Amino acid sequence: APNTVTATFDAGRALAAATANTVVATFEDGRKVTIGELNSFLAAMPPNMQQAARRDRRAFVQQFALMNRLSEMAEKAKLDQQSPTREALAFNRMYLLMNAQIHETLTTINVAPAEVQSFYDENKQRFTQVKVKALYIAYSANASAGGANQPKRLTDAEAQAKIASLRAAIAAGGDFVKLVKENSEDQTSAAKDGDFGTLRSTDKLPDAIRTAIFALKAGEVSEPVKQPNGFYLFRAEEVGVQPYAEVQETILNELKQGHFKQWMEEVGRGLNLKIENEAFFTEAGAAPGK
């Protein structure tokens, strides 16, 4: 039994020249432990245990030997055939095999380039992008008269009236950028003539902003859009579609997930599960001893 280990693994030395067959330690019964075996075992460990093992490799090798010894003792005592160990082993085996099959299926799904291109061509509206400028008027529940160094804080109603007035001025031919510089309280965009960036339909945006922006044509200005602390006006500078190269990987992954979902549904349908005891699904029927 491997109750001792002769370690040849130097925890502080780089093993750049080592191979998977390099022997790291020898159990008492003469069995050799290689770098390949230890790396395989390490890869199956939980992340926190992996980190600890990498920090102290010598302790990891010792632990590996101890686990081998204790598991052999358990098998000799036939603990693997007794409850609850027997059931836990069966569950873990089923769970690991299930995940292995899922991983195998996911990694072997092939999506033809033509399918990706076709999806892009048929769903270009999903990849719309709009370069926008914004004008922002803030409001506060605790409006104030302001001070020498602080502007007046508007109420909800006052801010709404102001943004509506600015929208009317723009509609009458007013210079959007000029009005941004004079009125916008979004300092970041105001410093860039109102530039708010290029927004994509896949971006996480508040619903009201998304609806307003993606309804615009180039050059159009939105109606005021209310948000929790203020009102926005958006002007679409450019409206286009993300290039295929930018979204190709996203589409590929989505199609893979779609194929995987379809495969899972087919597996589920193939179960042909027939319920024989409906009472099991009631509280009384599922009680212990029933």
Side-chain angles (χ1 to χ4, degrees):
N3 61 350
T4 63
V5 174
T6 303
T8 61
F9 193 77
D10 188 347
R13 183 177 301 170
L15 298 175
T19 67
N21 293 324
T22 299
V23 175
V24 172
T26 304
F27 288 162
E28 187 182 50
D29 62 359
R31 184 164 76 84
K32 306 295 183 183
V33 183
T34 65
I35 286 178
E37 184 178 2
L38 288 170
N39 282 339
S40 296
F41 188 78
L42 182 67
M45 293 169 63
N48 61 324
M49 294 181 68
Q50 289 185 26
Q51 293 173 7
R54 291 190 174 98
R55 283 196 300 269
D56 190 342
R57 295 177 181 178
R58 193 177 300 276
F60 167 52
V61 173
Q62 190 71 33
Q63 180 189 37
F64 179 76
L66 180 62
M67 290 178 69
N68 269 273
R69 175 63 184 274
L70 292 174
S71 63
E72 286 183 356
M73 291 171 64
E75 286 182 339
K76 287 180 180 178
K78 299 186 184 304
L79 297 181
D80 56 328
Q81 300 173 31
Q82 300 177 28
S83 295
T85 305
R86 178 183 61 205
E87 292 79 13
L89 287 171
F91 168 79
N92 283 309
R93 183 176 186 277
M94 184 187 298
Y95 184 78
L96 289 170
L97 286 172
M98 174 193 73
N99 281 293
Q101 182 59 63
I102 287 173
H103 180 266
E104 175 71 12
T105 301
L106 279 170
T107 55
T108 54
I109 289 174
N110 291 314
V111 179
E115 184 179 356
V116 180
Q117 181 69 60
S118 177
F119 185 92
Y120 175 76
D121 293 338
E122 295 171 7
N123 296 274
K124 284 189 175 179
Q125 73 281 359
R126 280 189 51 188
F127 307 107
T128 300
Q129 59 182 16
V130 185
K131 182 178 181 181
V132 296
K133 288 184 182 292
L135 190 159
Y136 177 70
I137 302 298
Y139 64 81
S140 173
N142 301 312
S144 68
N149 300 317
Q150 221 169 13
K152 180 183 183 297
R153 299 173 70 183
L154 303 178
T155 65
D156 181 330
E158 290 171 337
Q160 186 172 15
K162 183 173 181 178
I163 201 83
S165 174
L166 292 169
R167 175 70 177 77
I170 293 166
D175 188 321
F176 188 92
V177 172
K178 182 174 182 292
L179 292 172
V180 165
K181 291 180 177 180
E182 294 173 350
N183 297 277
S184 184
E185 296 174 63
D186 180 346
Q187 297 180 357
T188 301
S189 61
K192 299 181 291 185
D193 294 342
D195 286 346
F196 200 72
T198 298
L199 303 179
R200 299 176 176 84
S201 57
T202 52
D203 291 341
K204 292 183 179 180
L205 299 168
D207 290 342
I209 290 179
R210 177 188 301 280
T211 300
I213 287 176
F214 291 100
L216 297 174
K217 297 178 182 178
E220 290 184 342
V221 177
S222 72
E223 293 297 327
V225 179
K226 186 177 183 179
Q227 288 297 287
N229 297 303
F231 291 88
Y232 281 98
L233 289 178
F234 295 104
R235 186 175 77 180
E237 303 300 293
E238 298 174 10
V239 178
V241 178
Q242 286 179 267
Y244 175 72
E246 287 185 10
V247 297
Q248 181 179 4
E249 193 66 24
T250 299
I251 296 173
L252 176 62
N253 290 332
E254 183 174 332
L255 290 174
K256 279 187 175 182
Q257 287 297 325
H259 288 308
F260 173 73
K261 181 181 178 182
Q262 184 179 15
W263 175 81
M264 284 290 288
E265 290 172 349
E266 290 173 356
V267 172
R269 286 194 296 270
L271 293 175
N272 295 318
L273 186 65
K274 181 181 179 182
I275 302 300
E276 302 287 355
N277 187 352
E278 290 292 344
F280 174 80
F281 302 99
T282 66
E283 186 173 349
K290 297 292 183 182

